[in-house]
Amino acid sequence: MQLLKTALDLVRQHYIFPETAASVIAAVEARTAAGDYDGLDDETLAARVTELFLATSGDKHLRLLVRSPDHRAATTESETEAAWAEAQRLGNHHIAAVQRLDGNVGYIDLRGVASPGDGGTAIVAAMELVTHTGALIFDLRRNKGGDPEGVQLWNSYLFPDSDTHLNDIYDGDTTRTRQFWVLPYVPGRRYLDRPVYVLTSSFTFSGGEEFAYNLKALRRATLIGEATRGGAHPTARFPVSATLEVAVPHARSINPVTGTNWEGAGVEPDIAMPAGEALQVAYRLALEHVVTTDTSQAVLAEAREALSAFSH
């Protein structure tokens, strides 16, 4: 099957762990020779090959995927990037909600991480809308990942200067390690000297996990919810047909504080609980902070009223 051969060639060329790539390729080739993939529709083929990828490698990023209908006309790298950027634009660069909750608590529901080149203005706008709040909640419970530079921009708002080392990524294609530090400049105001809470779930993945892991390692946020899904390998997607593409991890994250990453294990929360309960717990903690630190009588009254609902 030519498309599987193309997919396996890409795994061979780009997968971050060559020995694991060899095992994955051998497993798929054996199934192909046995006729296990003959006559399957795209969805079934993608699901079965991905299942074998995972069973052989343990890597949740290594996948055969059905291409989005909006991406099927894209055959070159530039066309694929343009289609991806358009999808992010129409999805508001993964920012589902930005709110000021009662009691002057900021809340950002972030479903993915856009690159600064595509979503930088939206990221800046979101942080500007919460800049005057007394505590901030990032909801990453439905975050499926995204761009490391986007994580760097979001995280940079939470530290005072560029002396903070966030993450490193070793790229197997180039054999180079790129360091990610807090940016020396961010548009608008940084969010400093106030607590940050990060909500996680078993769905939180990849760049969403890095977002949480960086802040936990640097003790800049309190993580609340469930252990995350466990994918720490930056990935590139390559079309193998008009309707299928292969996602191949070509790099790995190395946290400068822990010396490791969250691959396989996920990011453990500081306060473990079902994801559905995490927002209420974070909101209560945020309100408790506001009522003990804020000086505005109007904000204090609002925060006390909101906090009183938790005692009923």
Side-chain angles (χ1 to χ4, degrees), residues 67-276:
R67 301 186 79 194
S68 163
D70 291 335
H71 293 184
R72 290 178 184 177
T75 57
T76 67
E77 183 177 352
S78 61
E79 289 172 342
T80 300
E81 289 177 354
W84 184 254
E86 177 65 4
Q88 293 203 61
R89 183 184 71 83
L90 295 174
N92 200 36
H93 305 290
H94 308 295
I95 302 171
V98 182
Q99 292 179 257
R100 177 197 179 277
L101 304 178
D102 287 348
N104 201 31
V105 173
Y107 172 80
I108 298 177
D109 184 357
L110 188 61
R111 308 287 177 87
V113 185
S115 70
D118 292 329
T121 55
I123 295 170
V124 172
M127 290 306 299
E128 182 63 25
L129 287 173
V130 299
T131 193
H132 298 296
T133 58
L136 178 57
I137 300 168
F138 284 102
D139 191 342
L140 306 184
R141 290 176 295 177
R142 285 174 279 188
N143 192 299
K144 59 184 179 181
D147 186 83
E149 291 184 344
V151 175
Q152 180 186 30
L153 177 54
W154 281 108
N155 285 178
S156 290
Y157 275 94
L158 307 178
F159 297 93
D161 53 48
S162 59
D163 290 338
T164 302
H165 192 175
L166 296 169
N167 191 35
D168 291 338
I169 293 179
Y170 170 77
D171 191 314
D173 287 338
T174 64
T175 68
R176 294 179 179 177
T177 298
R178 178 177 176 184
Q179 296 184 344
F180 291 82
W181 293 71
V182 165
L183 296 169
Y185 168 78
V186 293
R189 286 158 282 199
R190 296 183 193 262
Y191 197 91
L192 307 174
D193 304 320
R194 287 158 287 174
V196 174
Y197 305 92
V198 175
L199 313 184
T200 61
S201 75
S202 59
F203 179 84
T204 309
F205 191 53
S206 192
E209 294 179 280
E210 188 208 327
F211 189 120
Y213 193 89
N214 292 351
L215 298 183
K216 181 180 180 180
L218 292 164
R219 300 186 178 184
R220 180 59 185 95
T222 301
L223 275 56
I224 303 174
E226 298 168 347
T228 61
R229 193 176 169 196
H233 298 152
T235 300
R237 294 189 181 192
F238 305 93
V240 296
S241 74
T243 55
L244 291 169
E245 63 189 14
V246 62
V248 184
H250 62 90
R252 58 186 175 89
S253 296
I254 308 166
N255 183 273
V257 176
T258 66
T260 184
N261 59 44
W262 57 95
E263 177 66 25
V267 185
E268 291 290 338
D270 298 299
I271 303 174
M273 64 183 55

